[in-house]
Amino acid sequence: MAERKKAHTLFLRKDIKTDIFKKTGLEKSLTAFSLTTMGVGAIVGAGIFITPGIIAAKYTGPSAFLSFVLAAVVCSLAALCYSEFSSTIPLAGSAYTYIYAVFGEFIAWILGWALVSEYLFSVSAVAASWSSYFQNILAGFHWYLPEALRAAYGTAGMPHAIFDLPAFIIIMIISFLLVGGVRESARINAIMVILKIVVIILFIIVGAFYVRPANFNPFLPFGMKGIVSGAAVAFYAYIGFDAVSTAAEEVKNPQKNVPIGIIGSLLIATALYIALSVVLVGIVKYTKLDVADPVAFALHFIHQDWVSGIVSLGAVIGMTTVLIVFLYGGTRLVFAISRDGLLPKLFSRLNPKTHVPVTNTWVFGILGSFFACVIPIDKITELVNIGTLFAFAMVSIGIVFLRRNAEFNKLDSAFRVPFYPVLPIISFILCVTLMLELKRFTWIAFFIWLAIGLIFYFSYGYRHSAVRLKYKQERS
């Protein structure tokens, strides 16, 4: 009777020890360098070209860089927790897989479903901003798309916009690239990341000569509450290291290389964010920065159009790397959930030549492009943040339960969170605090998304769970 009850519990935990050592079909081709460039590619992209302007205009004023510092501190604590999990449980699925092993299936499904929204809306938001910068380049040649095809319906300043055609096209191109294989995608990503960093440094150097001290006054127009609220939005800029951990099954020596990729990419990105934010608000009064392409706008403002063209090109390249990483991360998350039976099996089928989940990649790309084409970018950005913060909070508190579990203590772990259990608990509290700073609309949308997920879980996932079916077979 007890065994039968356990088979039906919502909190049946996944035995990850067998999964760690068995061959999964995914090709192990990624190194610490490719993981670091993957993380930098995701973090330093849409975030650095979009959020500094939005945060300065709406939340912080000239002190925008303080929001990035606060977000980086919270992210660094969560990154340490991710690093321990990834070195202990080097499997695809990131936080979803970790929570499945520690808290059980139901909590893992809720988190996995929230992460699906994070990756989907990240792809959509980045594609929308990519479209804005790409059209800025076209405008330099006096080429213009019909206004109906320039942005999503409801986008500020575009009353006749209906559908974002460039956003749709770029997501389809990236989906095609990823279908070709992860090794080739990683190489292209690394080249683009290097070019992007060069462009960002160019903006910082040129812009530094046009910084006006008067633009930093008043320094805290919205007070410290604005800094905290801005940090909640700045999380959108930092979620790239989460995507790094989704690659664990395709990494050579994951116990060592995944923590290097996570922490290394976060350090590089934070330095670039702080420098660019300071220069940006020094060039242009913060009240004028609530635009989709604030970096290019700032350079136009100081009549450095030649640099603006280069930066716009760099932004397009940079956001292309973000799309590569988030589309990749999202498909690997869906792959892991499907492999566990909670989503249809077609999402975990691999191409025998490329070892890539092809159907999964195309479906994810099409959904991402749909959201990019019909939802305004300011709404998408906050939807990304709440799923990310929820995942960070669960992973942080999950470390406490990981350490207390005798089974996991027997596994090799190349990285341990220092000052345990203080840092994981602080990380959890800070993540929840930032979640509470998000807008009412974001919470409503989040609960609607979770409700849809619960309907899907109880109508499909619960009955098809591979862990549950295996447990029943072993006890029959």
Side-chain angles (χ1 to χ4, degrees):
M1 180 68 72
E3 293 295 338
R4 193 176 301 141
K5 276 187 177 180
K6 187 174 179 182
H8 290 284
T9 181
L10 293 174
F11 303 99
L12 194 62
R13 289 190 294 139
K14 183 177 182 181
D15 178 13
I16 51 85
K17 294 194 292 294
T18 54
D19 288 343
I20 289 175
F21 298 108
K22 75 180 181 182
K23 188 173 179 61
T24 63
L26 295 171
E27 183 182 6
K28 291 185 177 294
S29 58
L30 301 177
T31 63
F33 175 76
S34 54
L35 286 177
T36 302
T37 57
M38 183 182 290
V40 173
I43 303 170
V44 183
I48 205 163
F49 293 112
I50 306 171
T51 51
I54 294 174
I55 290 171
K58 293 185 174 181
Y59 300 97
T60 66
S63 56
F65 75 95
L66 291 178
S67 286
F68 285 103
V69 171
L70 178 57
V73 169
V74 179
C75 274
S76 64
L77 297 178
L80 294 175
C81 298
Y82 265 90
S83 296
E84 179 166 340
F85 262 121
S86 64
S87 67
T88 308
I89 308 174
L91 295 172
S94 183
Y96 157 78
T97 300
Y98 309 153
I99 297 307
Y100 206 151
V102 174
F103 292 122
E105 183 174 285
F106 184 65
I107 303 299
W109 168 261
I110 292 175
L111 180 66
W113 188 250
L115 285 173
V116 169
S117 74
E118 172 198 326
Y119 284 105
L120 266 178
F121 293 134
S122 291
V123 168
S124 303
V126 175
S129 190
W130 185 96
S131 172
S132 179
Y133 273 94
F134 180 71
Q135 291 180 67
N136 188 51
I137 293 174
L138 293 182
F141 296 97
H142 304 290
W143 297 342
Y144 303 93
L145 292 172
E147 189 170 332
L149 301 178
R150 291 183 195 174
Y153 177 79
T155 300
M158 294 191 178
H160 303 295
I162 298 174
F163 184 85
D164 195 331
L165 181 62
F168 174 80
I169 292 174
I170 188 59
I171 293 177
M172 291 298 97
I173 291 173
I174 299 301
S175 299
F176 178 77
L177 174 65
L178 288 173
V179 165
V182 66
R183 189 196 303 267
E184 292 73 17
S185 302
R187 287 173 181 164
I188 293 171
N189 179 70
I191 294 169
M192 287 185 170
V193 166
I194 293 169
L195 290 174
K196 173 170 57 178
I197 291 175
V198 169
V199 168
I200 291 169
I201 292 173
L202 175 65
F203 168 78
I204 293 169
I205 293 172
V206 173
F209 290 98
Y210 294 88
V211 169
R212 297 176 60 218
N215 286 334
F216 291 99
N217 188 36
F219 187 66
L220 290 169
F222 303 99
M224 287 306 299
K225 180 173 175 53
I227 300 295
V228 177
S229 298
V233 177
F235 251 80
Y236 166 71
Y238 283 110
I239 61 178
F241 74 80
D242 177 26
V244 172
S245 64
T246 66
E249 279 186 46
E250 294 164 274
V251 179
K252 300 173 183 176
N253 192 5
Q255 282 87 354
K256 176 185 175 183
N257 290 334
V258 175
I260 291 174
I262 290 173
I263 297 170
S265 59
L266 187 60
L267 290 174
I268 294 170
T270 300
L272 292 173
Y273 270 110
I274 292 172
L276 184 137
S277 298
V278 171
V279 172
L280 181 65
V281 297
I283 294 174
V284 182
K285 190 70 176 176
Y286 71 91
T287 53
K288 300 178 180 178
L289 288 174
D290 188 14
V291 293
D293 51 353
V295 175
F297 173 80
L299 289 167
H300 281 306
F301 186 81
I302 58 175
H303 307 295
Q304 296 297 312
D305 292 346
W306 69 276
V307 184
S308 176
I310 295 173
V311 167
S312 293
L313 179 61
V316 168
I317 293 172
M319 282 182 271
T320 303
T321 69
V322 181
L323 287 170
I324 291 173
V325 176
F326 281 127
L327 264 171
Y328 167 84
T331 59
R332 293 325 186 255
L333 170 65
V334 172
F335 169 84
I337 299 175
S338 170
R339 184 172 60 184
D340 291 334
L342 304 182
L343 287 174
K345 285 296 181 185
L346 65 92
F347 292 116
S348 54
R349 287 181 192 151
L350 298 176
N351 182 291
K353 276 190 175 182
T354 61
H355 306 284
V356 168
V358 175
T359 303
N360 170 348
T361 302
W362 281 117
V363 171
F364 199 88
I366 290 169
L367 283 175
S369 64
F370 170 77
F371 289 124
C373 295
V374 300
I375 303 177
I377 189 171
D378 59 331
K379 297 290 190 296
I380 300 175
T381 302
E382 287 213 12
L383 291 173
V384 174
N385 291 333
I386 194 164
T388 305
L389 284 165
F390 180 59
F392 286 2
M394 293 303 298
V395 169
S396 298
I397 201 65
I399 287 294
V400 177
F401 291 86
L402 181 77
R403 293 277 189 97
R404 294 173 64 182
N405 191 305
E407 293 180 27
F408 296 119
N409 286 328
K410 295 176 185 176
L411 297 173
D412 292 331
S413 180
F415 183 87
R416 292 269 180 166
V417 176
F419 305 111
Y420 169 88
V422 177
L423 287 190
I425 292 173
I426 291 175
S427 178
F428 173 78
I429 293 171
L430 289 175
C431 289
V432 172
T433 300
L434 290 183
M435 283 181 75
L436 296 175
E437 289 293 324
L438 295 172
K439 294 176 182 175
R440 186 165 173 262
F441 161 82
T442 308
W443 279 97
I444 292 172
F446 182 62
F447 283 124
I448 291 172
W449 178 261
L450 288 185
I452 295 170
L454 290 176
I455 292 170
F456 195 92
Y457 174 73
F458 286 111
S459 63
Y460 180 90
Y462 180 86
R463 293 183 294 108
H464 293 84
S465 166
V467 174
R468 194 177 308 282
L469 293 174
K470 180 183 176 183
Y471 187 86
K472 288 180 178 178
Q473 289 172 359
E474 289 175 347
R475 297 299 182 274
S476 62

